Amino acid sequence: MPKYVYDFEEGNKDMKALLGGKGANLAEMTNLGLPVPPGFTVTTEACRAYLRSGSFPPGLWEEILEHLGRLEARMGKRLGAVDDPLLVSVRSGAMYSMPGMMDTVLNLGLNDESVLGLARQSGDPRFAYDAYRRFIAMFGRIVLGVDGEKIREVQARFKGKRGLDPAPEKAEDLVAVTASDMQALCGELRVLVEEETGRPFPQDPQEQLRLAVEAVFRSWNNRRAVEYRRIYRIPDDLGTAVNVVAMVFGNLGEDSGTGVAFTRDPATGAKGVYGDYLPNAQGEDVVAGIRNPIPLSELERRNPEVYRQLLQVMEILERHYRDMCDIEFTVERGKLYMLQTRVGKRTAAAAIKIAVDMVAEGLITKEEAVQRIDPDQLDQLLHPQFDPNVEVKVLATGVNASPGAAVGKVVLDADTAAELGKRGEKVILVRWETTPDDLHGMVAAQGILTSHGGKTSHAAVVARGMGKPAVCGAEAIRIDLENRLFRVNETVVREGEVISIDGTLGRVVLGEVPLVPPKPTPELNTILSWADEIRRLGVRANADTPEDARKAREFGAEGIGLARTEHMFLGERLPIVQRMILASSEEEEAAALKELLEVQRQDFLGLFQAMDGLPVTIRLLDPPLHEFLPSSKELELEILRLEQAGADPQLVAEKKKMLRAVEGLEEANPMLGMRGCRLGIMKPGIYLMQVRAIMEAAIEHHMAGGNPVVEIMIPLVAIDEELRLLRREAEEVIEEVFREKGARIPYKIGTMIEVPRAALTAGKIAQVAEFFSFGTNDLTQTTFGFSRDDIEGKFLPRYMDRKILSDNPFETLDTEGVGRLIRIAVEEGRATRPDLKVGICGEHGGDPRSVEFLHHAGLDYVSCSPYRVPLARLAAARAVLGAREEASK
Ligand code: PEP
Ligand code: MG
């Protein structure tokens, strides 16, 4: 039989899988000699066994009783004893932190008799009945399944009868209720529980304990927890541990209290402790937000000795964990107790600052610093901010709880936010406070605004974790749910109106504020320079304009991996392109191509200048030509309208000509049609014009003293012969340009690998390609046979829900299928041409998990959008460090 229960003295911080994060860290703190109330942990293994069979595995209950016996002996009290009862909390705690998602029961062991003992022993009957009242409510809701709303109703009604504020949202605020009234309220709550469950409230403390442990086990599978695991990709089969801890009370008067603290600021990473404290309160009060907490500095004033102890504990924890920790603590009549610690969640900006500072402090190495930054989280830092050049009129201010700015329509509940979000609308979720039940709405929102709570509130913690801007505790905002609006003084903002929030400075503005992209901070550049020392993969950017290229270079791109030339064919250029497509003679086509040549030369010159000295991979035109013309439906309608209005016959004739051209170009499956190299073969003029423009621009830049590094890329090749032919034609033009200009420069011609046949015949294709770049958007499309433009809105969500696929293959590379093709192509391509350069320019080049695979597949570089370049640099370094760690195991 496995050992199912561990005293805190028996565990340590590395036992998270078995004891959960909370249990493992309580054990670690106990062994560090920090003031932790005694207790024990029931393992995740016991939970898994319970969830499998629906009952305690053999021996578990006996083991719990044995550890309870030891706990009682140490405390010199018995659970729920009449004279001086031991009370315990029963707390969930899984391997990965899932804040607030699972259940916890406090004050367990109270019953009609032991409450008298607690009253006597504490000398405070009101406190004792308040504890019992909380216990009945919590146990009723969590363990016995009584609807929480009904409990609130009873409390609100009770308050009304006593002449107190009966508002349901104030139901938990019982500060003004006297001891005897509290006792009466306990009675009413017990009646409610009995009515709802059909049996009396359990009075036997051991039965309470058993039921509570089971309830915490079951809470692993409640809706919130399941949803949270889905979002954060936490496996469903881990289970939670259960911690049974001797109760300490923060609500025993003004010399007691409860708080949360961080060893450094979780929003900015600044040194110095940071936290909130609620005097004379129990832990749940902080979460329930009945009163706003006070800053820790206030604790220093009120109780300097406790504050000094707290600082000392935090110092010990930080040195021991070599990381920023967050803690929960309680002060009982002037004595400090630690209830939890863990390595604290933080914003990307804070993560970076803390890592860089800790290297300077000698606490961690550069490699550890790089490994501590989650590349996905970096995205956050690259979040937009309010445009500083625009003056804004601030409607309300609040706590700057999670940085970045967002604009969206006001939405007052999570379900609506989720629904609008699904339709692609940008929304700001505005709540009094958020709870774990709001999670789906928070995921869908651009940003979060609350009128209550601080930097440690649920909204703040979750928003920071998600990298979403949040302004919390904007107290001027009065939400009126009934009328679906909020008020700030005289201003009324209705649901659906647009607001802007700035989570960096805590500002709320009515209407849309223009946003600008941020600049990398010096600390980010430090981390990235360390990453650059470690990584092997090169990082380039996908950029089509000189501005994008400059931005990419600023972010550390080492060249352009993909310049899509089709974007250069739009806007004011479109009429020329249309003339070229519709030309009825060779001369007409040649004239249009000549016009395009002039503008394209400038386009390419701009790119070579911006990326001087670094490779610029220019892809010849890829999309089917009909994308540059209106659809046949649009044209038919337009012709009809023109004819009805008696328009100029010349104009109508032109439109008809266009319609015939469109009809000639339309295909049943355009993605599999005349595009990429097929277009180059069918309409050679376009590619030859582009090749000429590229080389003329390159020579111009070269003659001006620049250093163009030219790579010409041909898309959608499936057959080596396609590339051979196009290469020959391109080389003829290039030689012509060299002769005309009297200068030569080096260049490379390569291809994209975007269809399975290209990957499978890479050995032959490499005979005529100097480089490969995996176009994994198309390669994923053609490998799965999934339309890249459709599946996200059609069957993919269902596929993910039903776990047919665990990831969106257009976001995270499918290593099994598409990845296999990549490995084959790299291996066979290099067998033909050992110095073949291999990169990727599909979206996966900026996805951290895909980057790791691509490192192992032996690519030379990844190319991604400019804003993802920092993230790719970091991911590439982490791939190296991850592999080193594996090898050393
Ligand atoms: C690709 O297919 O992965 C690619 C980069 O090309 P595009 O997205 O332009 O088709
Ligand atoms: Mg493609």
Side-chain angles (χ1 to χ4, degrees):
M1 212 165 33
K3 176 174 165 63
Y4 283 128
V5 185
Y6 288 71
D7 280 338
F8 290 163
E9 285 77 4
E10 296 176 292
N12 64 58
K13 72 174 179 1
D14 300 322
M15 293 169 73
K16 286 199 185 79
L18 190 64
L19 303 180
K22 183 177 288 176
N25 288 321
L26 280 169
E28 188 79 10
M29 285 198 290
T30 301
N31 293 327
L32 279 173
L34 299 179
V36 176
F40 55 85
T41 305
V42 183
T43 64
T44 55
E45 193 178 358
C47 174
R48 289 191 294 271
Y50 174 84
L51 292 177
R52 267 195 307 273
S53 67
S55 60
F56 275 3
L60 172 59
W61 180 238
E62 292 70 23
E63 223 182 312
I64 290 177
L65 287 182
E66 186 194 320
H67 286 263
L68 176 65
R70 271 196 248 165
L71 178 62
E72 289 176 331
R74 278 190 59 178
M75 303 294 292
K77 298 180 180 194
R78 261 188 328 104
L79 185 69
V82 180
D83 44 357
D84 180 9
L86 169 67
L87 304 182
V88 294
S89 60
V90 179
R91 297 167 185 268
S92 57
M95 174 171 178
Y96 298 107
S97 154
M98 296 167 52
M101 295 299 140
M102 290 175 299
D103 290 328
T104 281
V105 179
L106 304 179
N107 305 338
L108 187 137
L110 281 173
N111 57 26
D112 289 354
E113 291 184 343
S114 62
V115 68
L116 298 171
L118 183 65
R120 237 187 339 270
Q121 187 255 338
S122 64
D124 186 347
R126 186 191 175 282
F127 154 76
Y129 280 105
D130 187 27
Y132 192 26
R133 186 269 312 173
R134 290 166 189 263
F135 175 57
I136 299 169
M138 235 177 181
F139 193 91
R141 186 167 55 79
I142 289 165
V143 181
L144 304 175
V146 177
D147 183 354
E149 278 309 308
K150 293 199 169 149
I151 293 172
R152 282 158 77 91
E153 271 168 33
V154 166
Q155 295 195 164
R157 224 180 313 121
F158 183 87
K159 281 176 68 185
K161 278 190 282 181
R162 297 296 190 279
L164 299 168
D165 184 353
E169 67 271 18
K170 297 265 178 69
E172 286 298 320
D173 183 358
L174 298 167
V175 176
V177 176
T178 62
S180 62
D181 280 353
M182 203 62 97
Q183 185 178 1
L185 178 56
C186 288
E188 292 201 11
L189 285 171
R190 281 189 44 196
V191 170
L192 171 77
V193 171
E194 190 163 343
E195 276 170 13
E196 292 291 311
T197 61
R199 59 191 191 110
F201 187 82
Q203 293 285 311
D204 173 3
Q206 290 198 0
E207 187 194 353
Q208 292 174 353
L209 179 61
R210 183 175 179 127
L211 291 172
V213 171
E214 284 189 55
V216 174
F217 281 161
R218 283 197 305 271
S219 72
W220 174 255
N221 281 329
N222 71 31
R223 192 189 127 194
R224 295 192 310 246
V226 172
E227 173 77 4
Y228 187 91
R229 290 200 292 275
R230 196 181 60 73
I231 294 168
Y232 290 98
R233 300 175 200 274
I234 297 173
D236 281 326
D237 55 3
L238 299 176
T240 179
V242 183
N243 301 289
V244 178
V245 193
M247 277 301 300
V248 285
F249 295 97
N251 50 343
L252 271 172
E254 286 306 311
D255 57 352
S256 304
T258 183
V260 291
F262 294 87
T263 55
R264 304 189 187 208
D265 186 331
T268 66
K271 285 190 83 165
V273 298
Y274 193 94
D276 296 328
Y277 183 70
L278 204 53
N280 196 12
Q282 209 164 38
E284 52 172 342
D285 298 340
V286 181
V287 184
I290 298 158
R291 281 177 285 151
N292 267 349
I294 57 175
L296 267 191
S297 49
E298 186 73 5
L299 174 65
E300 181 179 16
R301 208 178 49 73
R302 288 178 185 223
N303 198 333
E305 176 49 28
V306 166
Y307 182 75
R308 198 191 54 74
Q309 277 178 37
L310 184 65
L311 287 196
Q312 204 179 7
V313 166
M314 287 205 261
E315 167 94 28
I316 293 171
L317 285 176
E318 213 183 62
R319 300 228 141 250
H320 183 71
Y321 282 84
R322 303 189 310 132
D323 207 340
M324 184 265 266
C325 297
D326 84 16
I327 61 169
E328 286 179 20
F329 65 94
T330 280
V331 180
E332 181 182 291
R333 295 199 163 143
K335 180 160 173 31
L336 174 70
Y337 291 96
M338 306 303 295
L339 298 189
Q340 172 168 316
T341 191
R342 63 185 169 206
V343 167
K345 285 201 198 293
R346 61 203 79 179
T347 62
I352 287 164
K353 174 147 177 48
I354 291 170
V356 171
D357 285 352
M358 285 193 167
V359 171
E361 290 161 33
L363 277 175
I364 60 172
T365 63
K366 288 178 187 178
E367 284 77 11
E368 282 174 302
V370 167
Q371 257 175 321
R372 281 193 184 175
I373 313 299
D374 174 2
D376 278 323
Q377 226 198 351
L378 259 198
D379 225 10
Q380 230 190 78
L381 266 196
L382 309 168
H383 264 334
Q385 307 287 344
F386 282 180
D387 182 344
N389 299 318
V390 173
E391 219 174 289
V392 295
K393 191 161 165 280
V394 176
L395 175 70
T397 57
V399 176
N400 53 341
S402 181
V407 178
K409 289 182 180 168
V410 169
V411 170
L412 297 175
D413 70 90
D415 287 346
T416 314
E419 206 179 302
L420 292 180
K422 233 183 254 158
R423 282 196 246 136
E425 297 217 29
K426 292 191 166 26
V427 301
I428 306 284
L429 181 63
V430 183
R431 303 281 285 160
W432 185 68
E433 229 296 22
T434 60
T435 71
D437 288 330
D438 291 322
L439 201 68
H440 57 303
M442 299 175 79
V443 171
Q446 305 300 115
I448 293 126
L449 169 61
T450 67
S451 58
H452 206 85
K455 264 194 191 167
T456 51
S457 65
H458 178 266
V461 172
V462 174
R464 281 200 298 274
M466 290 180 178
K468 297 202 181 214
V471 175
C472 292
E475 303 205 1
I477 289 179
R478 303 251 167 263
I479 298 175
D480 176 354
L481 264 184
E482 213 167 296
N483 294 306
R484 308 299 294 182
L485 53 84
F486 71 76
R487 279 196 182 80
V488 179
N489 303 324
E490 308 299 290
T491 312
V492 174
V493 183
R494 293 186 185 280
E495 193 163 39
E497 279 188 60
V498 171
I499 58 168
S500 307
I501 62 167
D502 169 6
T504 310
L505 293 176
R507 300 180 292 175
V508 183
V509 176
L510 191 56
E512 180 174 347
V513 178
L515 305 181
V516 293
K519 286 225 173 301
T521 60
E523 282 98 357
L524 173 59
N525 284 333
T526 304
I527 287 272
L528 291 174
S529 71
W530 294 340
D532 292 344
E533 289 167 18
I534 298 165
R535 71 186 158 93
R536 180 191 62 74
L537 270 178
V539 178
R540 299 192 192 178
N542 293 356
D544 317 332
T545 64
E547 295 96 86
D548 278 358
R550 274 191 289 275
K551 186 98 231 159
R553 211 168 174 166
E554 208 178 287
F555 282 141
E558 298 155 316
I560 293 181
L562 170 64
R564 290 182 166 99
T565 52
E566 54 268 28
H567 297 162
M568 305 167 184
F569 278 35
L570 302 174
E572 59 194 26
R573 318 263 177 88
L574 194 58
I576 320 176
V577 176
Q578 292 181 341
R579 270 207 301 287
M580 185 238 344
I581 298 171
L582 300 172
S584 43
S585 68
E586 273 182 24
E587 292 74 41
E588 258 184 71
E589 186 183 298
L593 282 170
K594 188 151 185 303
E595 273 186 75
L596 284 173
L597 173 69
E598 299 301 319
V599 288
Q600 285 260 273
R601 192 191 302 120
Q602 290 311 309
D603 293 334
F604 300 140
L605 183 60
L607 292 179
F608 289 132
Q609 286 167 337
M611 275 291 164
D612 184 53
L614 295 173
V616 176
T617 311
I618 298 171
R619 177 177 77 184
L620 304 186
L621 194 68
D622 183 49
L625 288 182
H626 64 78
E627 284 196 8
F628 300 100
L629 299 173
S631 74
S632 54
K633 265 208 207 96
E634 276 166 10
L635 278 168
E636 277 163 9
L637 267 175
E638 197 181 348
I639 291 167
L640 198 67
R641 247 185 266 119
L642 286 171
E643 282 178 337
Q644 280 171 352
D648 177 5
Q650 172 90 24
L651 182 63
V652 175
E654 265 172 35
K655 295 285 172 193
K656 284 191 171 166
K657 184 176 161 194
M658 196 183 272
L659 177 61
R660 277 194 301 279
V662 169
E663 283 168 348
L665 289 170
E666 265 174 354
E667 294 167 303
N669 287 313
M671 275 294 191
L672 303 178
M674 203 177 87
R675 53 174 285 224
C677 64
R678 305 160 197 173
L679 179 64
I681 291 168
M682 296 299 289
K683 274 230 172 224
I686 302 175
Y687 273 22
L688 297 182
M689 174 277 290
Q690 288 195 303
V691 171
R692 174 171 276 278
I694 292 168
M695 287 327 275
E696 287 184 358
I699 297 239
E700 186 177 335
H701 185 51
H702 166 74
M703 303 261 219
N707 180 14
V709 184
V710 184
E711 297 185 348
I712 297 172
M713 181 154 78
I714 295 174
L716 217 73
V717 165
I719 312 162
D720 56 322
E721 211 47 49
E722 289 170 324
L723 185 62
R724 189 166 286 115
L725 185 147
L726 289 170
R727 182 180 182 104
R728 209 167 36 233
E729 289 179 356
E731 279 171 343
E732 279 168 21
V733 175
I734 293 171
E735 284 304 320
E736 227 171 80
V737 175
F738 286 167
R739 272 198 305 279
E740 286 164 21
K741 304 283 176 194
R744 303 185 72 83
I745 50 166
Y747 65 91
K748 286 194 171 75
I749 295 180
T751 182
M752 296 184 73
I753 304 284
E754 301 183 274
V755 295
R757 193 181 190 284
L760 296 170
T761 59
K764 286 175 90 179
I765 292 177
Q767 289 170 359
V768 275
E770 282 142 301
F771 66 87
F772 286 171
S773 178
F774 289 100
T776 44
N777 304 333
D778 274 310
L779 189 58
T780 300
Q781 167 165 265
T782 52
T783 301
F784 279 89
F786 283 171
S787 163
R788 62 191 264 192
D789 299 319
D790 297 307
I791 71 159
E792 276 132 329
K794 296 272 195 298
F795 57 84
L796 183 67
R798 195 60 188 271
Y799 265 46
M800 306 230 335
D801 280 351
R802 305 197 68 180
K803 304 212 158 48
I804 300 172
L805 282 173
S806 56
D807 295 294
N808 174 354
F810 288 103
E811 210 172 277
T812 299
L813 196 86
D814 158 50
T815 52
E816 239 184 335
V818 179
R820 177 128 192 260
L821 287 170
I822 290 178
R823 284 190 187 275
I824 292 171
V826 173
E827 191 179 313
E828 299 191 1
R830 291 222 175 105
T832 300
R833 190 190 285 266
D835 63 347
L836 182 79
K837 239 213 241 171
V838 186
I840 176 180
C841 58
E843 286 305 304
H844 306 89
D847 171 67
R849 281 190 293 160
S850 310
V851 170
E852 182 172 359
F853 170 82
L854 297 162
H855 165 83
H856 291 295
L859 265 66
D860 295 303
Y861 69 86
V862 297
S863 185
C864 55
S865 79
Y867 288 102
R868 293 187 84 81
V869 165
L871 192 147
R873 288 163 70 193
L874 188 65
R878 286 166 53 102
V880 173
L881 295 173
R884 267 187 218 160
E885 212 166 80
E886 274 302 302
S888 70
K889 266 184 195 158

